[in-house]
Amino acid sequence: MVKDKITNIKPKITDEAMDDPNSLTELWTLKESFIKYLGIGITMDLKKIKVKREKDFFEINYLNNTCYAKMLKIDNYYISVCQASKIINHLVIKKCN
């Protein structure tokens, strides 16, 4: 079932060789965070959004737009947050019961 979902969504977000569901989920959440950061919704080819892993954050680019993102994994959930600055010192996320 998971493999079928990966097969269906992978061509929409990347051309990279990526069969690991966790890596694909990470990439999806980063790209989704970026398009929300831009405020445009899913109106573009997601494969054109470039994600580069840096030491403590991700740099995400599309045309002349850049943001910097942090990603957290809580249990089986991935959370990605974009902002304009490379300096991401304070990100507090609390788990609700």
Side-chain angles (χ1 to χ4, degrees):
M1 178 125 184
V2 171
K3 187 165 178 123
D4 291 339
K5 289 182 181 180
I6 290 171
T7 302
N8 290 334
I9 196 148
K10 182 180 169 277
K12 296 175 183 170
I13 63 171
T14 186
D15 287 327
E16 296 175 30
M18 185 179 295
D19 294 324
D20 175 38
N22 292 324
S23 297
L24 191 61
T25 302
E26 289 177 5
L27 184 61
W28 169 257
T29 62
L30 287 162
K31 289 186 177 194
E32 180 184 28
S33 178
F34 181 66
I35 59 177
K36 287 179 179 180
Y37 167 82
L38 294 177
I40 59 172
I42 303 175
T43 58
M44 67 174 79
D45 181 356
L46 297 177
K47 291 189 276 189
K48 293 183 179 181
I49 300 172
K50 302 301 177 197
V51 177
K52 179 180 174 187
R53 184 183 296 264
E54 297 291 340
K55 181 180 177 188
D56 296 326
F57 59 89
F58 294 87
E59 182 177 299
I60 306 173
N61 297 291
Y62 175 74
L63 299 176
N64 293 326
N65 300 292
T66 300
C67 86
Y68 304 92
K70 279 278 198 177
M71 183 188 342
L72 301 170
K73 183 178 180 191
I74 300 173
D75 297 329
N76 290 323
Y77 300 95
Y78 292 85
I79 301 165
S80 295
V81 179
C82 284
Q83 68 178 39
S85 171
K86 283 186 182 181
I87 301 170
I88 304 175
N89 290 332
H90 231 89
L91 181 58
V92 178
I93 297 175
K94 293 183 179 182
K95 182 178 173 184
C96 297
N97 293 331

